[in-house]
Amino acid sequence: MAECQAQSKAKLISETRRRFEVEYLTDKPDKYDPRDIERLQQDDNWVESYLFWRHDVVDETLKMIDESFQWRKEMCVHDLTESSIPRWLLEIGGIYLHGYDKEGNKLLWIRVKYHIKDHKTILDKKKLIAFWLERYAKRESGKPITVMFDLSETGINSIDMDFVRFIINCFKVYYPKYLSKIVIFDMPWIMNAAFKIVKSWLGPEAVSLLKFTSKNEVQDYVSVEYLPPHMGGTDPFKYSYPPLVDDDFQTPLCENGPIASEDEASSKEDIESDGKETLETVSNEDQTALLKKVNLTEPSSKAEENEKADSKTKGFKKPLSVFKGPLLHISPAEELYFGNTESGEKKALIVLTNVTKNIVAFKVRTTAPEKYRVKPSNSSCDPGASVDIVVSPHGGLTVSAQDRFLIMAAEMEQSSGTGPAELSQFWKEVLRNKVMEHRLRCHIVESSKPTTLTLKDGAFNMSDKTSEDMSLQLNRLLESNKKLEDQVQRCIWFQQLLLSLTVLSLAFVISLLCLLYN
């Protein structure tokens, strides 16, 4: 069944490419950017995203590609850079990428209060939206995004339906399949009519992606750690420019491993909780043993190191997916699996394999540096060799689907040293375009064993989770009850008002009748 679907999809992709070339490229090839044409011929996922949005109807898909490609050339999306955007627009902080929702999708923040309707600046604002979306699409190809419309402190001057329609079209036509949902926060009643129009632009199938929220409901979609205080969150983030704020990756806790005393304490805890199946925490001296390097001149010492590395990772299962990059093959390819109570496995392993003829320096960064130990997080890998990187939650903090890991790699010259000082200097000097980057998202296994390399490290405290869920449900119930009480009070008030008016009307009629008879 799956094979038939794959064949059918491949046939549709091939037909779309062929017909686009015959029906749209033959007459006016100059109306599109050549880079988009090249990508259309090479990137199956891109073609599939257009087909998906048009329900695999090739005629409609071709019209959508035509409109999208013309827009991309008109906006010069391939050439949009920071210098293409007025500096004041970047400094104001009205549009930016930061944080993740509960499903792990990146958040595109649109702070509407900073937007004033002005036909002189509307083109620059549209370019800013296109800049962020294209920047994200190149980094996270195919991964959805959640739009956060923050309408708090918004007045009538901020309503610009042309700009809103442009944003809707970006996801309907120009970046298909990228929209996860649109979370609208604290919408003033005066904008109700405006967003009825927005619903008609989205169409019936996409209306379900609109989520109208207040301070209480917004936490159903985004956890408090990525919400600002005015939304009831705890995120200390303050927008500033420069630099651009979308790079949330930082150096993880205890780079290249914690100090020895922490290692010893961690090892004791592991042994007590997991016995033989646990992985001993790696000290700074042991890290070199994790590097499975091929050196024909030192076979005996390398064999010992390999034995040590094997003993460190014998509790893991080998990953089933591999990302094949130009410098490193990285396993797992997309998701780093962490277990729950059932699996009893919380640590995970990333395997890097050098596929070049030179030494490759690498370092690991994360969006939650206070949560994880990563060992080693900054090292190098010899040609043809592999490195095992152990990732483990730190200090009892729980893994979140919003957390991300970034692996950066670059080739070193043969004469370069690979010590800490040399690596530090290398990363200061290496050119940005020489650095390979690959991102991994976290996944918490619910019921089955993970497909990547994991390690038992105790169970989650389910009683705490159950208590937290019950507390959340209770708060929601109390809030619903409060709203119901308010509605009842309003009904009683209206009834009393109606009764008073009825009594007054009756008294007036009686008085009028008395006057007539007298």
Side-chain angles (χ1 to χ4, degrees):
M1 182 66 179
E3 186 176 347
C4 291
Q5 289 178 346
Q7 290 176 352
S8 176
K9 186 65 68 176
K11 186 176 179 181
L12 283 171
I13 291 172
S14 178
E15 182 184 355
T16 301
R17 285 172 172 155
R18 180 186 60 80
R19 286 187 56 185
F20 186 78
E21 184 173 355
V22 172
E23 298 174 24
Y24 290 86
L25 281 179
T26 305
D27 297 333
K28 297 179 180 179
D30 294 337
K31 69 177 181 178
Y32 309 123
D33 191 309
R35 289 166 288 188
D36 289 331
I37 302 301
E38 183 180 359
R39 183 183 174 190
L40 186 75
Q41 297 299 329
Q42 297 177 356
D43 191 343
D44 289 352
N45 291 329
W46 205 30
V47 182
E48 187 180 352
S49 67
Y50 285 104
L51 284 165
F52 173 83
W53 206 251
R54 287 296 179 260
H55 305 288
D56 292 339
V57 179
V58 176
D59 288 337
E60 295 299 318
T61 302
L62 291 172
K63 293 177 184 177
M64 184 180 182
I65 293 174
D66 175 55
E67 182 181 351
S68 175
F69 279 20
Q70 288 189 61
W71 172 84
R72 290 175 66 83
K73 183 171 183 179
E74 179 186 342
M75 294 292 289
C76 302
V77 294
H78 284 286
D79 302 313
L80 283 177
T81 62
E82 290 179 60
S83 59
S84 308
I85 313 297
R87 187 180 176 90
W88 69 268
L89 204 52
L90 291 168
E91 289 176 343
I92 199 171
I95 302 166
Y96 56 89
L97 288 168
H98 172 69
Y100 301 88
D101 68 9
K102 286 190 172 181
E103 295 174 346
N105 302 313
K106 191 77 174 180
L107 299 179
L108 174 64
W109 290 88
I110 300 177
R111 304 291 302 279
V112 182
K113 72 176 184 179
Y114 294 121
H115 177 81
I116 303 299
K117 187 174 181 179
D118 182 1
H119 71 277
K120 295 180 181 178
T121 62
I122 187 65
L123 180 59
D124 288 328
K125 291 172 182 175
K126 289 179 178 180
K127 283 186 176 180
L128 180 57
I129 290 285
F131 167 76
W132 279 120
L133 291 178
E134 187 67 13
R135 181 180 173 90
Y136 176 79
K138 287 178 179 178
R139 285 187 169 191
E140 305 280 357
S141 179
K143 295 179 183 178
I145 197 169
T146 293
V147 179
M148 297 292 291
F149 263 104
D150 183 2
L151 294 169
S152 57
E153 304 177 40
T154 300
I156 192 72
N157 290 335
S158 299
I159 300 177
D160 187 347
M161 299 308 292
D162 178 45
F163 187 53
V164 173
R165 185 164 196 168
F166 171 79
I167 295 171
I168 297 298
N169 278 339
C170 280
F171 291 103
K172 279 189 67 177
V173 182
Y174 313 139
Y175 294 90
K177 222 177 162 184
Y178 270 92
L179 182 62
S180 169
K181 54 188 164 290
I182 299 175
V183 179
I184 300 168
F185 176 76
D186 203 15
M187 185 177 73
W189 65 270
I190 199 170
M191 293 188 179
N192 283 333
F195 272 88
K196 285 182 180 178
I197 300 173
V198 172
K199 289 181 180 180
S200 68
W201 291 339
L202 278 170
E205 295 175 351
V207 165
S208 61
L209 302 180
L210 281 177
K211 311 295 181 183
F212 294 89
T213 64
S214 62
K215 187 180 288 188
N216 292 323
E217 291 92 11
V218 73
Q219 294 179 24
D220 292 341
Y221 306 104
V222 182
S223 60
V224 292
E225 64 182 300
Y226 286 119
L227 288 175
H230 74 273
M231 289 186 176
T234 59
D235 188 0
F237 170 79
K238 299 291 184 184
Y239 181 89
S240 64
Y241 176 85
L244 292 172
V245 299
D246 62 323
D247 187 4
D248 298 327
F249 293 97
Q250 302 174 44
T251 302
L253 184 71
C254 305
E255 184 168 345
N256 282 334
I259 58 176
S261 60
E262 289 183 329
D263 272 350
E264 292 168 6
S266 147
S267 296
K268 289 178 182 178
E269 290 173 3
D270 287 346
I271 292 169
E272 290 174 2
S273 60
D274 296 314
K276 294 181 179 180
E277 290 184 306
T278 55
L279 180 69
E280 294 177 9
T281 305
V282 186
S283 66
N284 290 331
E285 294 178 353
D286 289 335
Q287 284 172 23
T288 54
L290 285 172
L291 306 179
K292 301 175 182 176
K293 300 178 180 178
V294 180
N295 189 334
L296 298 177
T297 61
E298 298 177 20
S300 59
S301 62
K302 293 302 176 184
E304 290 176 4
E305 288 183 359
N306 288 336
E307 285 179 9
K308 288 183 181 180
D310 290 340
S311 68
K312 298 294 181 187
T313 59
K314 66 181 179 181
F316 291 109
K317 290 197 295 186
K318 287 297 178 185
L320 301 179
S321 60
V322 179
F323 167 78
K324 296 182 178 180
L327 305 181
L328 296 174
H329 285 184
I330 301 172
S331 187
E334 294 183 355
E335 294 185 326
L336 196 58
Y337 286 82
F338 292 86
N340 64 354
T341 304
E342 266 188 49
S343 64
E345 299 172 338
K346 289 169 63 176
K347 294 183 181 179
L349 192 77
I350 303 170
V351 180
L352 308 181
T353 302
N354 185 349
V355 294
T356 73
K357 296 180 180 180
N358 297 316
I359 297 173
V360 171
F362 68 86
K363 61 180 177 179
V364 184
R365 305 180 78 193
T366 177
T367 57
E370 74 286 351
K371 281 189 181 182
Y372 298 97
R373 284 178 175 171
V374 179
K375 297 184 258 186
S377 65
N378 186 3
S379 189
S380 62
C381 185
D382 284 350
S386 295
V387 176
D388 295 334
I389 301 174
V390 179
V391 181
S392 56
H394 174 69
L397 297 172
T398 56
V399 177
S400 171
Q402 296 99 319
D403 298 341
R404 293 287 192 278
F405 284 86
L406 172 67
I407 297 169
M408 303 173 68
E411 279 188 283
M412 303 181 72
E413 296 179 1
Q414 293 288 356
S415 58
S416 301
T418 57
E422 289 85 354
L423 287 172
S424 177
Q425 188 63 30
F426 171 77
W427 286 111
K428 290 178 182 178
E429 297 174 352
V430 67
L431 298 176
R432 180 76 179 179
N433 61 1
K434 300 293 184 182
V435 179
M436 168 192 144
E437 294 185 353
H438 184 65
R439 290 162 172 77
L440 296 171
R441 57 182 181 269
C442 294
H443 182 87
I444 304 168
V445 180
E446 296 299 332
S447 57
S448 60
K449 294 287 184 178
T451 56
T452 188
L453 216 48
T454 55
L455 177 70
K456 292 190 175 181
D457 192 32
F460 290 115
N461 190 333
M462 291 302 291
S463 61
D464 288 347
K465 187 178 185 302
T466 304
S467 174
E468 186 178 327
D469 290 342
M470 289 179 65
S471 176
L472 182 61
Q473 294 289 344
L474 181 58
N475 288 335
R476 288 178 181 171
L477 185 61
L478 290 172
E479 185 65 27
S480 299
N481 185 58
K482 186 177 181 300
K483 290 180 180 178
L484 187 60
E485 286 179 358
D486 291 341
Q487 291 175 356
V488 169
Q489 290 297 326
R490 282 197 294 270
C491 288
I492 292 173
W493 185 83
F494 278 116
Q495 286 178 347
Q496 290 174 344
L497 179 62
L498 185 61
L499 181 61
S500 301
L501 290 173
T502 303
V503 171
L504 288 172
S505 300
L506 186 60
F508 177 75
V509 171
I510 292 173
S511 300
L512 188 61
L513 289 173
C514 289
L515 288 172
L516 289 173
Y517 280 112
N518 291 335

